[in-house]
Structure formats: C-alpha cells, structure tokens
C-alpha cells in the first residue's frame, strides 16, 4: 500500500458517529470482516451506494484497525482508552490521533487549516485547496478530498461556521483532555505522523495540525510517556523523539 505524501486516501466524508462505531467494534474484535459487517448498517443509514459505503468503511477500518501494525503501542492504548473513556470528548483525541497516523493527506490538510487559523481569518475549502496544491501539485482527487476533510472536521465539532458563507473557524476554546497522559499520547501520534524524526518540545505542542486541542502538560509530564524520549541539546532545546523510531509501512 502506498502511503507516500502523494497518496490521498481520505476520499469520503467521515461522521463522528461512524468513528465511534468503528472504535467500539475494534474494541470487541480484531476480525476485519466482522468489523466491516458491524459498520455496514451504521454507514448504510446515510450512504445507499454499495461502492461509496465500502469506501467510507475502508477509511474507518484503516483508522481504527490498520493503525495497529503501524504503531502497535499507540493503537493498543487508543483501543483501551476508548473502551474506558468516561469523558466522551476524550474519544475525539483518539479518533484524530489515529487518523493522523494513517493518512498523510489528512495531516497535511489539518496542518494547513491550523496554519491559516493562526492568522485569525475564517478558513474556506478553497484556501485549503490552494495551499495543498502548492505543496502537492494538482492531483485529480485533491479538491474533493480537501472538501471531505473540512466536512468531517465540521461534523466532529472541530470547525464551526462563521458569518461568512462556507467559511469556518476552529472551535474555541481548544478541546482539553481529561489527563496529561492522553495529551502525551496525541503528541506521540503527531510526532509519528510528522516528516521530522524529532522536534523541540516547544514546537511539538504547537504543531499546526494539533490546533483543535489544548495542551497543559509540561516537559516532566511528557517524560513519563512510554513512546518518547527527551534529550537536552547544546543549544538549550529540549528535543523530543520517538523511542524505537519506525517508518515501516502498513501491510496491504
């Protein structure tokens, strides 16, 4: 399977309720056929086309099942956390982190949105497409895929409408986590999905692709994460890198 930066992949609108259903199914079975069978009627409530329904289910399975071989520890914690989550808002951190892991295009799109939002202006699909085309080139499915990401973020409550037609802004305030360990988990997902192998702590917590979330953890709390190691460099920067860095591909 091609997970290069040229691959789009995220080609359907994805509802938050579908992600919840996928996570619930994966917490109960690791059988891909069983997961698909459980998701079919859920997605079928909105998508009548067999082919379009299959494409949406593919994305859900990729996010909640196929991230297992890519990042076993992060995936295992996500499944356990979802099953035990007392705060439903924490589940969005898990959905988002696993989507970052599997879909480079999603990471590029949300990073673009995060960068645009820092200027305080409303964000439109056209603005996102323009930035993505500049970085990736004009791919045939890019326009629609960018629209799919924006739609999905709206459905997840991450983007909210503005007075300007078809323009959105990030929900405010950023979504907090119930505990700093969940914050550390998402930071590890962000670092795993990032092209760089290491980032200064100050840059990591401000990654534009993590714009929907509010981070309260400090460096000492991040040190407790089983996924990362922190080194003080000569310049005085505290640099974060993943333990046992692995860029292996997900099996097809």
């Amino acid at each position: 399977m091609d997970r290069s930066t040229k691959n789009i992949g995220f080609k359907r609108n994805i509802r938050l309720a579908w992600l919840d259903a996928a996570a619930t199914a994966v917490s109960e079975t690791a059988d891909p056929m069983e997961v698909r069978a459980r998701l079919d009627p859920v997605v079928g409530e909105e998508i009548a086309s067999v082919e379009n329904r299959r494409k949406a289910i593919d994305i859900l399975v990729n996010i909640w099942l196929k991230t297992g071989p890519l990042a076993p520890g992060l995936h295992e914690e996500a499944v356990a956390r979802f099953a035990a989550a007392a705060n439903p808002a924490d589940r969005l951190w898990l959905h988002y982190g696993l989507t970052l892991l599997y879909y480079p295009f999603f990471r590029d799109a949300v990073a673009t949105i995060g960068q645009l939002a820092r200027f305080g202006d409303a964000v439109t699909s056209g603005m996102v497409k323009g930035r993505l085309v500049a970085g990736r080139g004009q791919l045939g499915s890019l326009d629609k895929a960018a629209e799919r990401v924006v739609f999905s973020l709206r459905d997840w409550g991450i983007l909210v409408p503005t007075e300007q037609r078809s323009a959105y802004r990030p929900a405010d305030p950023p979504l907090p986590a119930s505990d700093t360990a969940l914050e550390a988990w998402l930071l590890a997902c962000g670092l795993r999905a990032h092209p760089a192998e290491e980032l200064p702590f100050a840059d990591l917590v401000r990654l534009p692709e993590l714009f929907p979330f509010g981070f309260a953890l400090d460096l000492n709390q991040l040190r407790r994460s089983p996924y990362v190691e922190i080194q003080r460099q000569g310049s005085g920067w505290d640099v974060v890198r993943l333990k046992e860095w692995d860029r292996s591909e997900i099996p097809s």
Side-chain angles (χ1 to χ4, degrees):
M1 176 178 176
D2 179 13
R3 292 187 69 254
S4 71
T5 56
K6 292 295 184 182
N7 190 41
I8 299 295
F10 200 95
K11 297 180 180 179
R12 305 302 309 172
N13 297 336
I14 298 299
R15 298 282 189 183
L16 181 59
W18 300 349
L19 287 166
D20 285 342
T24 299
V26 171
S27 70
E28 296 172 356
T29 178
D31 182 347
M33 296 303 295
E34 177 64 21
V35 172
R36 288 178 178 277
R38 295 191 188 191
L39 290 175
D40 192 70
V42 176
V43 178
E45 291 180 0
E46 184 164 333
I47 301 180
S49 163
V50 172
E51 179 63 15
N52 289 339
R53 191 161 66 245
R54 180 192 63 77
K55 290 178 180 178
I57 292 173
D58 283 347
I59 294 172
L60 297 168
V61 169
N62 290 343
I63 292 170
W64 268 100
L65 195 60
K66 290 193 176 181
T67 46
L70 176 64
L74 292 169
H75 177 265
E76 182 178 355
E77 180 170 345
V79 173
R81 278 187 171 273
F82 185 90
N87 181 0
D90 285 351
R91 295 175 176 176
L92 185 53
W93 288 67
L94 303 172
H95 296 318
Y96 195 94
L98 293 184
T99 307
L100 284 177
L101 287 177
Y102 197 89
Y103 286 107
F105 176 81
F106 179 86
R107 190 201 74 85
D108 286 355
V110 294
T112 297
I113 294 170
Q115 290 163 354
L116 291 168
R118 285 179 177 173
F119 294 103
D121 297 330
V123 176
T124 67
S125 294
M127 295 165 65
V128 177
K129 292 175 192 176
R131 290 281 190 99
L132 291 173
V133 167
R136 285 173 165 258
Q138 182 62 64
L139 302 178
S141 56
L142 187 148
D143 283 3
K144 285 295 184 183
E147 293 175 3
R148 305 299 191 196
V149 172
V150 171
F151 178 96
S152 300
L153 295 182
R154 288 167 51 204
D155 185 77
W156 304 354
I158 286 173
L159 293 179
V160 297
T162 67
E163 294 180 356
Q164 180 182 342
R165 182 180 179 183
S166 300
Y168 310 94
R169 61 173 175 79
D172 189 38
L175 189 68
S178 293
D179 61 82
T180 55
L182 179 55
E183 295 180 27
W185 178 89
L186 184 57
L187 289 177
C189 289
L191 185 55
R192 177 65 180 82
H194 199 277
E197 294 191 7
E198 60 184 28
L199 288 170
F201 174 71
D203 292 345
L204 179 60
V205 296
R206 296 187 70 253
L207 282 176
E209 54 265 42
L210 301 181
F211 75 90
F213 306 98
F215 293 92
L217 84 172
D218 58 30
L219 192 62
N220 287 330
Q221 290 167 323
L222 183 59
R223 290 184 194 278
R224 302 183 192 127
S225 169
Y227 309 113
V228 302
E229 56 188 18
I230 301 169
Q231 297 176 343
R232 173 60 65 94
Q233 300 208 341
S235 58
W237 291 102
D238 292 300
V239 174
V240 185
R241 64 183 295 128
L242 290 177
K243 293 180 180 178
E244 299 181 2
W245 182 262
D246 178 15
R247 290 183 176 274
S248 62
E249 299 293 339
I250 299 175
S252 299

